[in-house]
Amino acid sequence: MTETPPLLPLLYEDVVRRALLEDLGRVGDITTDAIVPADRTARAVILARAAGRIAGVEPALHAFRLLDPRCRVDVRLRDGGDAAAGAVVARVEATARAVLAAERTALNLLGHLSGIATATRDVVARLRGLETRVADTRKTTPGLRALEKHAVRAGGGSSHRYGLDDAVLVKDNHVTLAGGIAEAVRRVRGSVGHMVKVEVEVETLSQLDEALAAGAEAVLLDNMDLPTLREAVRRARGRAVTEASGGIRPENVREVAEAGVDLVSLGWLTHSAPALDVALDVEA
Amino acid sequence: MTETPPLLPLLYEDVVRRALLEDLGRVGDITTDAIVPADRTARAVILARAAGRIAGVEPALHAFRLLDPRCRVDVRLRDGGDAAAGAVVARVEATARAVLAAERTALNLLGHLSGIATATRDVVARLRGLETRVADTRKTTPGLRALEKHAVRAGGGSSHRYGLDDAVLVKDNHVTLAGGIAEAVRRVRGSVGHMVKVEVEVETLSQLDEALAAGAEAVLLDNMDLPTLREAVRRARGRAVTEASGGIRPENVREVAEAGVDLVSLGWLTHSAPALDVALDVEA
Amino acid sequence: MTETPPLLPLLYEDVVRRALLEDLGRVGDITTDAIVPADRTARAVILARAAGRIAGVEPALHAFRLLDPRCRVDVRLRDGGDAAAGAVVARVEATARAVLAAERTALNLLGHLSGIATATRDVVARLRGLETRVADTRKTTPGLRALEKHAVRAGGGSSHRYGLDDAVLVKDNHVTLAGGIAEAVRRVRGSVGHMVKVEVEVETLSQLDEALAAGAEAVLLDNMDLPTLREAVRRARGRAVTEASGGIRPENVREVAEAGVDLVSLGWLTHSAPALDVALDVEA
Amino acid sequence: MTETPPLLPLLYEDVVRRALLEDLGRVGDITTDAIVPADRTARAVILARAAGRIAGVEPALHAFRLLDPRCRVDVRLRDGGDAAAGAVVARVEATARAVLAAERTALNLLGHLSGIATATRDVVARLRGLETRVADTRKTTPGLRALEKHAVRAGGGSSHRYGLDDAVLVKDNHVTLAGGIAEAVRRVRGSVGHMVKVEVEVETLSQLDEALAAGAEAVLLDNMDLPTLREAVRRARGRAVTEASGGIRPENVREVAEAGVDLVSLGWLTHSAPALDVALDVEA
Amino acid sequence: MTETPPLLPLLYEDVVRRALLEDLGRVGDITTDAIVPADRTARAVILARAAGRIAGVEPALHAFRLLDPRCRVDVRLRDGGDAAAGAVVARVEATARAVLAAERTALNLLGHLSGIATATRDVVARLRGLETRVADTRKTTPGLRALEKHAVRAGGGSSHRYGLDDAVLVKDNHVTLAGGIAEAVRRVRGSVGHMVKVEVEVETLSQLDEALAAGAEAVLLDNMDLPTLREAVRRARGRAVTEASGGIRPENVREVAEAGVDLVSLGWLTHSAPALDVALDVEA
Amino acid sequence: MTETPPLLPLLYEDVVRRALLEDLGRVGDITTDAIVPADRTARAVILARAAGRIAGVEPALHAFRLLDPRCRVDVRLRDGGDAAAGAVVARVEATARAVLAAERTALNLLGHLSGIATATRDVVARLRGLETRVADTRKTTPGLRALEKHAVRAGGGSSHRYGLDDAVLVKDNHVTLAGGIAEAVRRVRGSVGHMVKVEVEVETLSQLDEALAAGAEAVLLDNMDLPTLREAVRRARGRAVTEASGGIRPENVREVAEAGVDLVSLGWLTHSAPALDVALDVEA
């Protein structure tokens, strides 16, 4: 367990701001405003109610900072850290109104991202002893890709491409439209720069051979049965990075990895992992 | 199964735009741009791979419209409709580049929202024969609250307040800071307008009595055991709407509802429901 | 006279920023830049030239903070406070350039919002001894609704709904399209959540009876003559909140209120109240 | 009465969008959505209930276009046109939901801007037979300056500078900080480009002489009594444009103008003119 | 050489933020994040590698502040200052990650704007002993107009109008559409306010006479040969500001100026001046 | 000469919109509005006054579309096409006001981007017969990176990484902070995903050997003299892509390329290439 380099606040502050404004609406927390004097301060503790891998601490705390620039925070668990059930993630001291108005936004961020980190950690744990890395996909929640991929890294996972523009992935539709894998790769290579890697998605061994011959630097082995997958790994060894994908869940990830692939990628990590249960308590 | 009134595009177009830009990055789909001629058009079908309740069709299709304003769509299942596994949700005809570049954004939206609608539908189904309604919470994914609450409605659920400003929910921290339920409600009533409802969260029957005496229009019965819950419902009948909340999952929702509450609310619907498996196929 | 809980700066800072940028244009205050050295500081006092109720102090001061983050302010009258003619509202110390460049934006905000607060205060004063509250409407200046409704509260008024999404108001067009008040209310009740109040606009006593029978929680009595209004209040007593609206001005507000309604609502407060005369003096 | 060249929609569409979103909130018009089927269309007429000069027709109609891009409009009175009480300003045909959801935003814009145009027209009318023009100021409503100055033009008025960057106005604080009018003007002239006009605010005749000697192209005669004003006009004739300002209201504008100034400027036009009463009727 | 009044940060902070985000992309500086610990600080010096006039120091330093709000800067050369080759412009102390991630953005801003200032300075120097001023145009880089015109001023140049709305320039197309210079000027004068100057572009002496007769306050003498230019200056003297424009480059600027015009304007300053070579060194 | 795949409008429309608004200011083209009737249409031709390679046609035309959605365009030269002096790039038919108000924005975009494309084309032409490709850098104009890199491709060049997040470039500061090239590369490889390429900047042959041994996929040979460069190419052959950079200008690019490197990269292309002279003529 090691810390994961945090994202620059500039990269997520608009996400936090929008999330806060979405909760505050036009006039903010009418319950708290009616009850709590403006000059009252409060101390609160943010906890993990269930055990899990933490991610999103800084974005979550940013919600309090946006409502009270003078708030003070004490971070006890950084992204990539493991929380036992009941563990303190951070303490916050701010105006009572800021604490109560930012609470839900902060928890929604922390719970969602820690849920992804925890799910990733659990998948990574299932591969103990193997070289295979666990990668994310582009199947992320709209608006949260950078934070979700960060959460996957906090869980011990590895990042696949961030979007459509930073790496090439030639898929079946591209092959069909180009008239073959070789031609598709040729067109791509003539178009993209020297810092761009090219991966080709293949479903069969003959497609794999074609991709390797065309110079693919990585191959996405899509939905192959285990014997085929093993043979694919054998053929690609030393020639291209191998990635297994398609229908991989925690339950079957180890048998897929044992086929020898360099990576397994799971959309499930970002589109379906349940949130980690986190809470905020105002201290007496 | 009935259609759910769609949100106005003005309310979600920025969400879709941001999601697209997040995927396109600086220069867009470099794979497709290298392979597919600019003037090529394509027809695609959007499918549910698994059975489920559909939500988010219009936001998903908006992704294609943003990349090709002349794209044509044929919607086969509207929000609130049920898809069998393999069912066609919509057909799209647009430039091939637009189809491929918008695909992932559209599917991420549709899969996420349909996942919530499906989970809601399943919870609602468990309450068949009861009057109890299923409500959402503010435990939503940052940036997507309006769409997620819409998805809950598409699943047959009911909306709790949209944020901190459109209704009052007096919680334990408010009661502590005000020095009692009666005083908290009094302050709120003196502050908010006549169109704002006041709900009070209670954990015990004596708190409930205090809330009812103070004139709460709704009471959130938090984490009560079933006998207490039944007694609470009895006391509140005809005086306030009753909502059970706290730790409710699909597995235990019916026994909670059978205590006679008007509503059960589940954060799980929006923070932990798995995505529905949806896909896009380019047609030959 | 009591202070009104201030809005969170996050809710208005974009309004202030846009107002400043609108005045600064592309290159800012060319007069001041040419004349005043960059390192010169200035102290200024913000005054009410005419007597009135103050609102918008914090948004006004935010204009100085945006141009000089190190500016110091001393607030002498908070929102909800009453200024005599010539009274000091606040003192500001900042770079002379910031003071002069932010002056007009700050005064425009303060004068506009204090004008609304003053008008509201005056209407409220006319109802002394009555229970009737004074409410605002949605007839607000585009872009300023949250601030204007805040100014009404600072004037002693009460907030009607903030927009189209946080409460139901069934109006004549809805009744026509639904085919009757009962059907309109039935549809709404089946659609909105339990935290949403339902008000029905009525013009006649028979419409009122229909609305009450349908379970309206509030009735907007539109443009009724005084005898009808009195009868309407009698019928609605104990069954629904009564609101008189339509053509109410300071001149006739008391006679309307004396009919016994719970609220009178006046669009005039926000669309036609004159600004309060405020000024900034740079101190020697 | 002539038409005023309309502003480009690009210059106000964000104002309209923000105003709409401010009214729609998170989920839009919940009353209408519950009652009116999505496919229902409606025809509506926008009327002036009181007589007045119209301004803001296109921004108002833009609200309908944003909610229903296929809406059809028939404009009967353009900006700068005069409406009798009851006159039709425009007709709109759109989905019933768009008509009802955009109604208030459209009317708020139209009523506010037409109120300014009407007030300006009335002041202009009081100067019939004189050469004096009526000008606006920078005392505008935050966020609406371009539209409000457009409304002044629609009322027959003339635009003063749009902001701090497009013309020079040397005021008392500048003179103090520079150590005299001559020095202030000298610094400004050395700094700004050849397309920028320089106006100097003066309160006395000796200040006027100093400003004229310094080469001011316009002089703002601030709060002068009528004899002084007449003398100031005499001295400035042929040397600088003369503008009277300070405390000018409809009641006294003619006597000020009769002193012979080229312009009178009134903050009142934009900060205190009451809205024109406008309405929307859905047609059977 | 004197300092140029800096622009208010509010006017350029969005430009800097966008430039940074454009470089950081979705997840920031992956090289630095992998190599440099988060708590490491660094000191860096920003240098001019070539001699030149400096502009854009504050916007450049703003890039570091956006990534590390606690960064400390020591400015050694302000805008308008001259750097020898190798001169230190500023020193920065911040987290090492902020220094490395903001470096390129800061240098791109500083190099671009200092390139414009240097080019302007060089043109100004060629006119030593003449009264003619050097002005910019609207031929600026999209998105950077305010900063580029500021750089021209830092180079000793003068600002032409900032855009289409702050001054009138009647060009050939306007004359054609109006049916003559006199009519064009008449229409403009009747439309714009008293603070707006009117310049007319002319290509011949007879057009010049027409413009002067119509009351043009400035004349843009477009692409005239030198004898014509001299005659034009003679005719306009005391009647209008004279500006020569069209095809003026550093090589021929002096002979144009010697014709006696008040201003020469060069689009070249902002659309084609090469960047100044600037660099950042991390100190041991 | 072939066409370059155009960027999606979604990727540049905000750049164009901001550029237009920067020129239009608060109220738009006051000259044109005063002179040209709103209903007048105009036809215009966009020309290259000098010969060059065209880039930015679609963004330029987008300016007209934003002001007149019904404008019609006829594109005669697409990005990547070569214009002779005087060649027609496109024809536009729109309202006369839209044509004149968008003219400068459109030309600024087209001239700037075509200048870059032309400069790139000229450098590429100097390498005729060699395999070496010409690449851009991150030394781009703030806010315009995607468009400028697109222009480089239109000139026949190749894209280096788009920013800090899509590829790794280990530079001297990283090596110093990591304590060696090997360690720097090791840390990077352990951190970034499998789709990210790693390039190392080296200044000496021993650094090169270290980079190759560490597994760098590309090496940036910084400011090497020609004999060293040739030796570096020899050593790297078959092991890593070789890129020469540092002080390369059109004058010396061929001799650098003849050393055998795979790429030469020039910041000059984007930070110092002069604009192409383009113009718009309104047709009679």
Side-chain angles (χ1 to χ4, degrees), chain E:
Chain E
M1 164 182 146
T2 57
E3 285 177 20
T4 308
L7 289 180
L8 291 163
L10 197 70
L11 294 170
Y12 58 73
E13 66 185 21
D14 275 354
V15 172
V16 182
R17 184 184 304 270
R18 265 196 294 272
L20 258 181
L21 288 172
E22 178 182 65
D23 201 21
L24 295 171
R26 297 172 185 90
V27 292
D29 186 349
I30 55 175
T31 310
T32 298
D33 284 355
I35 290 173
V36 183
D39 56 1
R40 179 121 186 193
T41 61
R43 293 196 308 157
V45 59
I46 297 177
L47 308 156
R49 279 198 189 142
R53 175 65 58 91
I54 297 302
V57 175
E58 288 300 331
L61 295 176
H62 199 68
F64 299 100
R65 289 192 187 102
L66 282 172
L67 295 192
D68 180 1
R70 281 174 297 194
C71 86
R72 294 194 302 188
V73 302
D74 175 21
V75 177
R76 309 302 294 267
L77 279 170
R78 295 190 186 282
D79 286 12
D82 283 315
V88 173
V89 176
R91 291 178 193 279
V92 179
E93 183 168 348
T95 66
R97 286 184 175 172
V99 168
L100 296 176
E103 171 184 353
R104 179 51 34 218
T105 298
L107 295 179
N108 286 351
L109 279 161
L110 182 64
H112 180 70
L113 296 173
S114 297
I116 290 171
T118 301
T120 305
R121 180 191 70 171
D122 294 348
V123 170
V124 168
R126 288 171 185 263
L127 305 191
R128 195 155 298 151
L130 302 177
E131 299 275 303
T132 309
R133 292 166 81 179
V134 175
D136 53 34
T137 67
R138 284 168 46 244
K139 298 182 176 180
T140 55
T141 313
L144 299 178
R145 183 169 291 171
L147 286 171
E148 291 186 346
K149 284 181 167 265
H150 169 77
V152 168
R153 289 194 298 276
S158 179
S159 298
H160 210 297
R161 61 176 179 163
Y162 303 128
L164 291 164
D165 68 327
D166 65 320
V168 164
L169 181 49
V170 175
K171 306 180 85 168
D172 52 355
N173 287 324
H174 299 114
V175 171
T176 306
L177 290 162
I181 286 175
E183 173 63 11
V185 172
R186 196 191 61 76
R187 289 190 197 171
V188 163
R189 266 287 155 239
S191 168
V192 303
H194 70 290
M195 295 305 282
V196 175
K197 281 210 176 155
V198 175
E199 182 166 6
V200 177
E201 181 184 282
V202 299
E203 293 180 22
T204 66
L205 291 172
S206 71
Q207 286 180 327
L208 172 64
D209 293 340
E210 202 177 346
L212 293 172
E217 293 159 288
V219 284
L220 187 153
L221 308 166
D222 186 34
N223 268 311
M224 287 182 172
D225 58 35
L226 294 178
T228 310
L229 195 61
R230 278 183 218 110
E231 174 60 15
V233 168
R234 201 189 58 75
R235 295 190 187 184
R237 186 159 297 138
R239 303 177 66 190
V241 172
T242 51
E243 170 190 357
S245 194
I248 306 178
R249 293 300 173 96
E251 304 80 66
N252 66 344
V253 67
R254 188 168 179 97
E255 65 182 20
V256 172
E258 285 175 338
V261 290
D262 296 310
L263 297 115
V264 288
S265 60
L266 298 83
W268 180 86
L269 296 176
T270 47
H271 67 54
S272 295
L276 185 70
D277 191 4
V278 292
L280 176 148
D281 287 348
V282 175
E283 299 192 316

Side-chain angles (χ1 to χ4, degrees), chain C residues 4-130:
Chain C
T4 308
L7 289 180
L8 291 163
L10 196 71
L11 293 171
Y12 59 71
E13 67 185 20
D14 275 353
V15 172
V16 182
R17 183 184 305 269
R18 263 195 296 272
L20 259 180
L21 289 171
E22 178 182 63
D23 201 21
L24 295 171
R26 297 172 185 91
V27 292
D29 186 348
I30 57 174
T31 310
T32 298
D33 285 353
I35 290 173
V36 184
D39 56 1
R40 178 120 186 193
T41 59
R43 293 195 308 157
V45 58
I46 297 176
L47 309 155
R49 278 197 190 142
R53 174 66 57 92
I54 297 302
V57 175
E58 289 300 330
L61 295 176
H62 199 68
F64 300 98
R65 290 192 187 102
L66 282 172
L67 294 192
D68 181 359
R70 280 174 298 194
C71 87
R72 293 193 302 188
V73 303
D74 174 21
V75 177
R76 308 303 294 267
L77 279 171
R78 295 190 187 282
D79 287 13
D82 282 315
V88 173
V89 176
R91 292 177 193 279
V92 178
E93 184 168 349
T95 66
R97 286 183 175 173
V99 168
L100 295 176
E103 171 183 354
R104 180 50 36 220
T105 299
L107 295 179
N108 286 351
L109 280 160
L110 182 65
H112 180 70
L113 296 174
S114 298
I116 291 171
T118 301
T120 306
R121 181 192 68 172
D122 294 347
V123 171
V124 168
R126 288 170 186 263
L127 305 191
R128 195 155 297 150
L130 303 176

Side-chain angles (χ1 to χ4, degrees), chain A residues 150-166:
Chain A
H150 169 77
V152 167
R153 288 195 297 278
S158 178
S159 297
H160 210 298
R161 61 176 179 164
Y162 303 128
L164 291 164
D165 69 327
D166 65 319

Side-chain angles (χ1 to χ4, degrees), chain A residues 15 18-19 22-32 34-37 40 96 100-101 103-105 108-109 112 138-146 161-170 173-174 177-178 184 187-188 191-192 196 271-275 280 282, chain B residues 15 18-19 22-32 34-37 40 96 100-101 103-105 108-109 112 138-146 161-170 173-174 177-178 184 187-188 191-192 196 271-275 280 282:
Chain A
V15 171
R18 264 196 294 272
E22 178 181 64
D23 201 21
L24 295 171
R26 297 172 185 89
V27 292
D29 186 348
I30 55 174
T31 309
T32 298
I35 291 173
V36 185
R40 178 120 186 193
L100 295 176
E103 171 184 354
R104 179 50 35 219
T105 298
N108 286 351
L109 279 161
H112 180 71
R138 284 167 47 243
K139 296 183 177 180
T140 54
T141 313
L144 299 178
R145 183 169 293 170
R161 61 176 179 164
Y162 303 128
L164 291 164
D165 69 327
D166 65 319
V168 165
L169 180 50
V170 175
N173 287 323
H174 299 116
L177 290 162
R187 289 190 196 170
V188 163
S191 168
V192 303
V196 176
H271 66 54
S272 295
L280 176 147
V282 175
Chain B
V15 171
R18 265 197 293 273
E22 176 181 65
D23 201 22
L24 295 171
R26 296 172 186 91
V27 292
D29 186 348
I30 57 175
T31 310
T32 298
I35 290 173
V36 184
R40 179 120 185 196
L100 295 176
E103 171 185 353
R104 179 49 38 217
T105 298
N108 286 350
L109 280 161
H112 179 70
R138 285 167 47 243
K139 298 183 177 181
T140 55
T141 313
L144 299 178
R145 182 168 292 169
R161 61 176 179 164
Y162 303 128
L164 291 163
D165 69 326
D166 64 318
V168 165
L169 181 49
V170 175
N173 287 322
H174 299 115
L177 289 162
R187 289 191 197 169
V188 163
S191 169
V192 303
V196 175
H271 67 55
S272 295
L280 176 147
V282 176

Side-chain angles (χ1 to χ4, degrees), chain C residues 18 22-24 26 28 30-32 35 104 108 138 140 143-145 164-165 169 174 187 272 275 282, chain D residues 18 22-24 26 28 30-32 35 104 108 138 140 143-145 164-165 169 174 187 272 275:
Chain C
R18 263 195 296 272
E22 178 182 63
D23 201 21
L24 295 171
R26 297 172 185 91
I30 57 174
T31 310
T32 298
I35 290 173
R104 180 50 36 220
N108 286 351
R138 285 168 46 243
T140 55
L144 299 178
R145 182 168 293 169
L164 292 163
D165 69 326
L169 181 49
H174 298 116
R187 288 191 197 170
S272 295
V282 175
Chain D
R18 265 196 294 273
E22 177 181 65
D23 201 22
L24 295 171
R26 298 173 184 88
I30 56 174
T31 310
T32 299
I35 291 174
R104 179 49 38 215
N108 286 350
R138 286 167 48 242
T140 54
L144 299 178
R145 183 168 293 170
L164 292 163
D165 69 327
L169 181 50
H174 299 115
R187 288 190 197 170
S272 295

Side-chain angles (χ1 to χ4, degrees), chain D:
Chain D
M1 164 182 147
T2 57
E3 285 178 21
T4 308
L7 290 180
L8 291 162
L10 196 70
L11 294 170
Y12 59 70
E13 66 185 20
D14 276 354
V15 171
V16 182
R17 183 184 304 269
R18 265 196 294 273
L20 258 181
L21 288 171
E22 177 181 65
D23 201 22
L24 295 171
R26 298 173 184 88
V27 292
D29 186 348
I30 56 174
T31 310
T32 299
D33 285 353
I35 291 174
V36 184
D39 56 359
R40 179 119 185 196
T41 60
R43 292 196 309 157
V45 58
I46 296 176
L47 308 156
R49 280 197 188 142
R53 174 68 55 93
I54 297 301
V57 175
E58 288 300 329
L61 295 176
H62 199 68
F64 300 99
R65 290 193 187 103
L66 282 172
L67 294 191
D68 180 0
R70 280 174 297 194
C71 86
R72 294 193 301 189
V73 303
D74 174 20
V75 176
R76 309 301 293 268
L77 278 170
R78 296 191 186 281
D79 286 12
D82 284 315
V88 173
V89 177
R91 292 177 192 279
V92 179
E93 183 168 349
T95 66
R97 287 182 174 172
V99 168
L100 294 176
E103 171 184 354
R104 179 49 38 215
T105 298
L107 295 179
N108 286 350
L109 280 161
L110 182 64
H112 180 70
L113 297 173
S114 298
I116 291 171
T118 301
T120 306
R121 180 192 68 171
D122 293 348
V123 170
V124 168
R126 288 170 186 263
L127 306 191
R128 195 155 298 151
L130 302 177
E131 300 275 302
T132 308
R133 292 165 81 179
V134 176
D136 53 33
T137 67
R138 286 167 48 242
K139 298 183 177 180
T140 54
T141 313
L144 299 178
R145 183 168 293 170
L147 286 171
E148 290 186 346
K149 284 182 167 263
H150 169 77
V152 168
R153 289 193 298 277
S158 178
S159 298
H160 210 297
R161 62 176 180 163
Y162 303 128
L164 292 163
D165 69 327
D166 65 319
V168 165
L169 181 50
V170 175
K171 306 180 85 168
D172 52 356
N173 287 324
H174 299 115
V175 171
T176 306
L177 290 162
I181 286 174
E183 173 63 12
V185 172
R186 196 191 60 77
R187 288 190 197 170
V188 162
R189 265 286 156 241
S191 169
V192 304
H194 71 289
M195 295 305 282
V196 176
K197 281 211 176 154
V198 175
E199 181 165 8
V200 177
E201 181 184 282
V202 298
E203 294 180 22
T204 66
L205 292 172
S206 71
Q207 285 180 330
L208 172 65
D209 292 339
E210 201 177 345
L212 293 172
E217 292 158 290
V219 285
L220 186 154
L221 308 167
D222 185 33
N223 267 312
M224 288 181 173
D225 58 35
L226 293 178
T228 309
L229 195 62
R230 278 184 218 109
E231 173 60 16
V233 168
R234 201 190 57 76
R235 295 190 189 186
R237 184 159 299 138
R239 302 177 67 189
V241 172
T242 51
E243 172 191 356
S245 195
I248 307 178
R249 293 300 173 98
E251 303 81 66
N252 65 346
V253 66
R254 187 166 181 98
E255 66 183 17
V256 173
E258 286 175 339
V261 291
D262 296 311
L263 297 115
V264 288
S265 60
L266 298 83
W268 180 86
L269 296 176
T270 47
H271 66 55
S272 295
L276 186 71
D277 191 2
V278 292
L280 177 147
D281 287 348
V282 175
E283 300 191 315

